[in-house]
Amino acid sequence: MRDTETGDKTDDIFAAGTLFEATLAGMREGLLVVNKDMRVVASNAAAHKLFSASIARLKAQRLTELTRNPAIYNAFLDGLKGNEVGGVKVETHGPDRQVFDLRVVPIGNVNGRGADGALGVFFDITRTERLELVRQEFLSNVSHELRTPLTAILAFVETLESGATEDPESCQRFLSIIRKNASRMHGLIDDILELTAIEGGNVQLRVAPVELHSVVDDVGASLTRQAEAHGVTLENQVMPGAMVYADSRRLEQMLTNLIDNGIKFSRQNGTVTISHESGTRDRILVTDDGDGIPAQHLERLFERFYRVDRARSREMGGTGLGLAIVKHLALLHGGEVTVQSELGKGSMFTIHLPTTPAISPDKT
C-alpha cells in the first residue's frame, strides 16, 4: 500500500522551484543570472558574498551597481550577444583576496538581436592560484640555489683545463672548492627530494616510545666534528630514561637539523644545549647562545629557502630547507616546532610532541 503522505512530501521536495532553489543555495560556486537590461534576475548565496554583503539582495540590481570590474561586465555583455565566454580571471581585493574563473553562457533564444539573458558561474580558484605561486617560487629558488655552486664548479674546471694543473698547490685548492660546491648541490637535491616526499604524504611514520637521552647522544656524536670546527660545546641535559613518542629515525633527523643549525650560528666557544620538558606535551628544546634572530624574521623562519643571512648561511653550507623539513616532520607527528629568540642572547627551537602517539604504531 502506497504511503500517500510520504509520496506527497517527496513530490514537494523535488518540485522544480524548490529543487532549483536548493541547488543554488548548496552551490559553492557563485551563480548570477542577468536579463537583457543587465539586471540580476537570479543569484545564490555564494554570489552575494562575492559582490556585496551590504546589499540585502542582488535581485533587480544592475550589474554596474554591483561591480566596476570591466572583465565581469564585458563577459556578461558578450553573453547577451550570444557568445559563450570562459577563462575570465576575476580578483577581489581586501584582507581575504580571492581569485575566480568566470564562465558566462547565453540564455534563451539566440538570434540576430542577442540572447534573452546571460548566466555566469564564478569558480573559486584561489587555492589553485596560491599553489601555482608557491610552485613558481619554489622552482625559482631551486634554480637560483643550484646555479651558484654550478657556476663555481664550471669556473674552476675551466681554470684547471687552461693549465692550472701545473701548479699542484692551486690545483688542490681548486679541487677542494669544486668538491665543496658539488657536496652543496648534492645536499640541496637530497633535501628537495626529502621535503617533496614529506609534503606529498609519502613519508610514513613508525611511532613508538623512544629513549630521548640516547638519541641526543647519537646525534651529538655525529656532529662532533662540526661542533669542534666551530669551537662549540654540545650539552645533553635530557634526563636518562626520558621517553617520547616518535619515529626514532625522523626524530633523529629533526634533532640533527636543529643542532647543526645551532652549531652554525653559535658564537665561538659557545654552547648548544638540548633539554626536555614534559607536560600536556613533550617539549624538546635546542638552545644556542648565538647572536639571535631579529623579530621580523621569526614568522617566516620555517619557510622553504628562507634565510635571515643568506650569505652566511650559504658559506656554512646551508640549503635553506632544514627548518622546513623539521616543521613538516613535527606536523606529521601531530606536533609542531616553534622558535624564540632575542638579539644578542641566542635562540631556542622547541619540538612539541604529543604525550600519546598521534599515529598508530602499527601504521607503516
Side-chain angles (χ1 to χ4, degrees):
M1 184 175 178
R2 184 181 177 215
D3 189 337
T4 55
E5 184 178 350
T6 303
D8 290 342
K9 287 181 179 179
T10 303
D11 291 341
D12 289 341
I13 291 171
F14 288 100
T18 305
L19 181 60
F20 178 68
E21 290 177 4
T23 302
L24 285 182
M27 288 179 62
R28 295 176 60 186
E29 296 79 17
L31 186 144
L32 198 70
V33 181
V34 301
N35 61 16
K36 289 182 177 180
D37 299 323
M38 280 283 194
R39 288 189 181 275
V40 177
V41 294
S43 63
N44 65 353
H48 189 270
K49 292 178 182 178
L50 171 61
F51 282 101
S52 179
S54 62
I55 298 176
R57 54 184 297 184
L58 301 184
K59 194 170 183 179
Q61 297 285 334
R62 284 188 176 277
L63 192 58
T64 51
E65 295 171 337
L66 299 179
T67 179
R68 295 184 180 181
N69 189 319
I72 297 176
Y73 185 86
N74 290 333
F76 276 94
L77 190 61
D78 283 343
L80 291 174
K81 292 177 181 177
N83 303 317
E84 289 191 15
V85 182
V88 178
K89 188 175 178 179
V90 177
E91 297 184 45
T92 63
H93 301 283
D96 298 320
R97 175 181 172 271
Q98 289 180 286
V99 185
F100 295 88
D101 180 51
L102 171 60
R103 179 176 179 80
V104 180
V105 296
I107 300 176
N109 295 322
V110 178
N111 48 45
R113 291 171 296 178
D116 295 329
L119 180 149
V121 182
F122 295 81
F123 298 93
D124 191 343
I125 58 170
T126 307
R127 186 171 182 274
T128 304
E129 285 280 306
R130 189 179 298 119
L131 290 174
E132 177 61 20
L133 288 174
V134 169
R135 185 188 69 84
Q136 291 177 1
E137 183 180 353
F138 181 69
L139 290 175
S140 175
N141 282 325
V142 169
S143 299
H144 179 74
E145 294 295 333
L146 288 173
R147 185 181 296 114
T148 303
L150 187 58
T151 300
I153 290 171
L154 291 173
F156 284 105
V157 166
E158 289 174 0
T159 303
L160 289 171
E161 289 176 337
S162 64
T165 53
E166 298 174 3
D167 182 350
E169 185 177 342
S170 296
C171 181
Q172 188 60 42
R173 183 167 61 88
F174 293 160
L175 288 174
S176 176
I177 294 172
I178 290 171
R179 180 182 181 84
K180 177 182 176 182
N181 281 279
S183 296
R184 179 179 161 191
M185 290 177 66
H186 187 275
L188 178 61
I189 291 169
D190 281 348
D191 281 353
I192 290 171
L193 293 174
E194 180 74 4
L195 187 57
T196 301
I198 296 169
E199 292 182 336
N202 297 320
V203 170
Q204 297 169 330
L205 302 181
R206 293 178 180 269
V207 176
V210 176
E211 208 278 317
L212 183 58
H213 183 89
S214 61
V215 173
V216 174
D217 268 350
D218 290 343
V219 173
S222 69
L223 295 173
T224 298
R225 179 184 293 182
Q226 290 95 308
E228 290 176 349
H230 287 81
V232 173
T233 301
L234 301 181
E235 287 189 5
N236 182 359
Q237 295 184 357
V238 177
M239 293 295 294
M243 307 295 291
V244 295
Y245 281 101
D247 180 304
S248 60
R249 188 169 75 87
R250 297 300 179 177
L251 177 60
E252 186 174 320
Q253 186 177 3
M254 287 190 284
L255 288 171
T256 298
N257 283 346
L258 291 182
I259 296 171
D260 181 57
N261 194 67
I263 292 170
K264 289 174 181 175
F265 293 96
S266 281
R267 295 170 180 167
Q268 185 71 24
N269 300 319
T271 302
V272 174
T273 303
I274 304 91
S275 57
H276 169 254
E277 296 175 354
S278 58
T280 55
R281 283 188 168 190
D282 281 303
R283 295 181 297 277
I284 306 169
L285 298 83
V286 178
T287 308
D288 67 66
D289 53 5
D291 295 330
I293 304 166
Q296 68 268 25
H297 295 288
L298 295 178
E299 188 176 342
R300 300 188 59 190
L301 204 59
F302 297 97
E303 292 180 13
R304 294 177 296 186
F305 294 112
Y306 190 81
R307 294 183 175 99
V308 176
D309 187 338
R310 290 184 176 272
R312 184 180 179 187
S313 178
R314 288 199 185 98
E315 179 64 26
M316 293 180 174
T319 64
L321 295 174
L323 292 180
I325 289 173
V326 173
K327 180 187 77 171
H328 286 285
L329 286 176
L331 290 173
L332 204 59
H333 279 81
E336 63 177 336
V337 60
T338 58
V339 59
Q340 293 176 280
S341 188
E342 187 175 348
L343 286 177
K345 295 187 178 180
S347 305
M348 180 175 70
F349 289 83
T350 305
I351 301 172
H352 305 258
L353 295 175
T355 54
T356 55
I359 299 174
S360 170
D362 297 327
K363 184 176 179 181
T364 60

